[in-house]
């Protein structure tokens, strides 16, 4: 990297003396001002980078350009200051010489525009932010008015309530109101089915699960344009943290939505539900590869669980759960009741985070699947393991290992990167921007750094987690 003085001299020479030291001619000043004026498309409109005035010095302009370039290329917030661990690969280009080159070539605007993610998802999130920003921020199409609502009531608000419940997976996507109209046919009815879905939502957020929609429940259901815009801005920031070209074959786990997506050669080939860490034992944002399948795994209980939930269990408990003590560690033997189920997807990381099967498949039917101690439980894990085995051409070895009944290891021919991502706003398979809750409360510091106020919202509570990893 060139010293600042030499860099300024070289840039002046390259522009034939037409610009002041540092290359800040009229066109470059205008390009920077234009880029900053358009920063709303990145959710950065509440961040002040600089006020570009006619008399601003080259050093002031350079500092503003570099700060904005870093925000686009790497994000406003360093994720490693928010998360420990954070091992997702980040893009960190060397911006200072690149800025000098952009100024010298008269392409500052093009260079700044190239720094943010260029993929379709980012573009859709960007447009969603601009659209939401243009709406009244204290109301919106999804705003549900105040007032109690109980089973049997005919009320226009029921349509919006059902929409929010479907979005949160409390009701199936094909839930309809066609058969729920009042006798006059004018208003939908708040039915027992809808109330049951509301009770599930209430339990997740620590509200009395009575199925009655009151102020606290409305506080969760209401997601106005301002709330959505703030969430989209945070989603754009999280996208800017990451390297621009992820592995073409990979497994992405969205821990906010508790969903897994498997990509093969850049094509989405499989999605399924997962159970991830509960608040307090969150699944961390990291990337590490699956390098082997483990058939009929045993489970060595972590000391945090052994000295916590299992601190006072006796021999009877261990026997009932097929456990034994080995050198001071509680180990659960192989079997269908093992907390890891019948397959473990071993990952190379120092944090004891991995994917696995479960002996409690009923949890996949929950709307919020944040119940574990940090590892990721995969729906129909045996089916997923077979899919990977087929892709890796190791099906015969995998099936033989399963049939043995004891713990056996089957290496993958090619390790598969797994990215554990927290995305409560994302683009779904239909190309629509989907919203989920912020179960870990991780949006707040990012939103504040982006200049948003962040009013207190109900947070997910998962007090019924089991002892599994």
């Amino acid at each position: 990297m060139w010293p600042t003085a030499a860099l300024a001299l070289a840039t002046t020479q390259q522009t034939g003396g037409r610009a002041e030291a540092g290359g800040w001619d009229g066109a470059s000043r205008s390009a920077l001002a234009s880029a900053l004026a358009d920063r709303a498309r990145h959710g950065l409109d509440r961040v002040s980078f600089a006020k570009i005035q006619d008399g601003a010095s080259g050093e002031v302009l350079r500092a503003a350009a570099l700060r904005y370039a870093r925000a686009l290329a790497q994000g406003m917030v360093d994720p490693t200051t928010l998360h420990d661990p954070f091992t997702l690969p980040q893009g960190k280009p060397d911006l200072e010489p690149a800025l000098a080159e952009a100024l010298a070539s008269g392409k500052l605007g093009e260079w700044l525009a190239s720094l943010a993610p260029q993929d379709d998802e980012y573009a859709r999130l960007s447009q969603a932010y601009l659209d939401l920003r243009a709406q009244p921020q204290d109301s919106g199409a999804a705003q549900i008015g105040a007032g109690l609502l109980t089973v049997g009531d005919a009320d226009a608000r029921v349509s919006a309530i059902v929409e929010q419940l479907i979005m949160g997976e409390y009701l199936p996507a094909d839930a309809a109101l066609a058969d729920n109209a009042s006798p006059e046919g004018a208003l939908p009815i708040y039915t027992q089915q809808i109330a049951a879905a509301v009770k599930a939502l209430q339990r997740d957020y620590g509200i009395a699960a009575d199925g009655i929609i009151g102020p606290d429940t409305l506080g969760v259901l209401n997601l106005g344009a301002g709330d959505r815009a703030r969430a989209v801005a945070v989603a754009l920031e999280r996208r800017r943290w990451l390297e621009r070209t992820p592995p073409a074959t990979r497994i992405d786990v969205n821990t906010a939505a508790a969903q897994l997506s498997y990509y093969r050669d850049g094509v989405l080939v499989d999605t399924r539900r997962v159970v991830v860490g509960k608040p307090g034992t969150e699944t961390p944002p990291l990337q590490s590869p699956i390098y082997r399948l483990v058939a009929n795994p045993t489970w060595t209980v972590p000391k945090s669980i052994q000295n916590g939930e299992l601190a006072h269990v006796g021999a009877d408990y261990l026997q009932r759960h097929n456990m034994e003590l080995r050198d001071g560690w509680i180990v659960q033997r192989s079997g269908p009741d093992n907390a890891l189920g019948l397959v473990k997807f071993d990952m190379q990381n120092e944090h004891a985070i991995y994917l696995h099967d479960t002996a409690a498949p009923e949890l996949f039917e929950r709307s919020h699947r944040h119940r574990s101690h940090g590892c990721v439980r995969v729906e129909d894990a045996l089916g997923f393991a077979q899919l990977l085995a087929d892709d890796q051409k190791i099906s015969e070895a995998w099936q033989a290992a399963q049939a043995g009944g004891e713990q056996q290891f089957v290496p993958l021919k090619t390790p598969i990167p797994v990215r554990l991502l927290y995305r409560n706003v994302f683009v779904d398979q239909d190309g629509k921007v989907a919203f989920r809750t912020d179960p870990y409360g991780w949006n707040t510091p990012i939103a504040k750094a982006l200049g948003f106020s962040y009013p207190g919202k109900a947070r997910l509570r998962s007090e019924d987690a089991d002892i599994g990893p």
Side-chain angles (χ1 to χ4, degrees), residues 120-468:
D120 181 65
E121 181 179 37
Y122 190 87
R124 288 177 184 267
L125 291 172
S126 172
Q127 188 58 54
Y129 180 76
L130 294 175
D131 292 344
L132 289 164
R133 180 174 176 264
Q135 296 179 22
Q137 300 297 289
D138 56 350
S139 62
Q143 192 76 13
I144 302 169
L148 289 177
L149 199 57
T150 59
V151 172
D153 289 346
D155 196 299
R157 295 174 295 161
V158 172
S159 297
I161 290 168
V162 167
E163 179 183 346
Q164 294 293 74
L165 292 171
I166 291 173
M167 186 176 295
E169 296 186 31
Y170 292 97
L171 281 172
D174 58 356
L177 297 172
D179 298 328
N180 297 339
S182 60
E184 301 80 14
L187 298 174
I189 294 176
Y190 183 62
T191 65
Q192 197 67 252
Q193 179 195 19
I194 301 170
V198 168
K199 286 181 181 180
L201 176 143
Q202 291 169 328
R203 282 192 293 270
D204 281 339
Y205 286 88
I207 302 169
D210 54 13
I212 298 172
I213 295 183
D216 289 342
T217 304
L218 284 171
V220 175
L221 286 170
N222 267 321
L223 192 61
D227 296 315
R228 289 173 182 255
R230 179 171 51 241
V232 174
V234 171
L236 289 166
E237 171 72 1
R238 285 200 173 100
R239 292 283 284 103
R240 291 191 292 267
W241 290 348
L242 305 179
E243 64 179 354
R244 298 300 184 252
T245 307
T249 296
R250 68 184 186 278
I251 295 167
D252 283 350
V253 175
N254 183 341
T255 57
Q259 293 279 357
L260 176 150
S261 301
Y262 173 39
Y263 295 85
R264 185 197 304 128
D265 297 326
V267 177
L268 178 65
V269 295
D270 188 75
T271 61
R272 57 191 66 216
R273 294 182 174 192
V274 294
V275 172
V276 296
K278 65 183 177 69
T281 57
E282 298 90 349
T283 300
L286 57 80
Q287 176 172 316
S288 66
I290 293 174
Y291 68 100
R292 67 183 180 186
L293 304 177
V294 185
N296 308 302
T298 63
W299 178 42
T300 300
V301 178
K303 287 296 184 181
S304 59
I305 297 177
Q306 182 171 332
N307 297 330
E309 291 95 324
L310 301 183
H312 303 294
V313 303
D316 290 346
Y317 179 94
L318 297 181
Q319 184 176 5
R320 286 197 311 272
H321 291 84
N322 200 24
M323 293 176 170
E324 63 181 355
L325 279 173
R326 297 180 189 173
D327 300 323
W329 292 82
I330 295 177
V331 178
Q332 190 174 37
R333 303 180 189 92
S334 299
D337 295 330
N338 187 283
L340 302 184
L342 295 175
V343 58
K344 175 185 177 185
F345 305 81
D346 251 346
M347 293 167 59
Q348 289 177 330
N349 62 73
E350 61 185 20
H351 309 291
I353 296 295
Y354 46 85
L355 278 58
H356 63 92
D357 189 14
T358 179
E362 65 275 5
L363 291 180
F364 295 115
E365 300 305 316
R366 299 286 188 94
S367 52
H368 275 290
R369 298 179 292 279
H370 300 80
R371 312 281 173 175
S372 80
H373 282 79
C375 287
V376 179
R377 308 174 193 180
V378 180
E379 183 179 30
D380 183 22
L382 285 176
F384 189 57
Q386 187 62 55
L387 174 60
L388 299 186
D390 290 343
D391 285 352
Q392 295 268 324
K393 306 293 192 293
I394 56 171
S395 291
E396 185 175 342
W398 168 242
Q399 290 169 7
Q402 282 184 274
E406 299 295 328
Q407 177 170 272
Q408 293 191 51
F409 304 98
V410 181
L412 299 185
K413 291 184 177 180
T414 304
I416 303 174
V418 178
R419 301 194 304 172
L420 304 179
L421 306 164
Y422 189 80
R423 291 179 171 174
N424 73 308
V425 180
F426 56 95
V427 176
D428 65 17
Q429 296 180 58
D430 297 324
K432 297 179 180 178
V433 175
F435 291 82
R436 296 293 185 267
T437 56
D438 177 18
Y440 294 163
W442 282 355
N443 278 7
T444 303
I446 303 170
K448 288 181 177 178
L450 296 176
F452 290 90
S453 60
Y454 211 91
K457 295 285 184 182
R459 282 192 57 187
L460 175 66
R461 301 181 185 182
S462 292
E463 298 173 353
D464 58 341
D466 55 42
I467 66 164

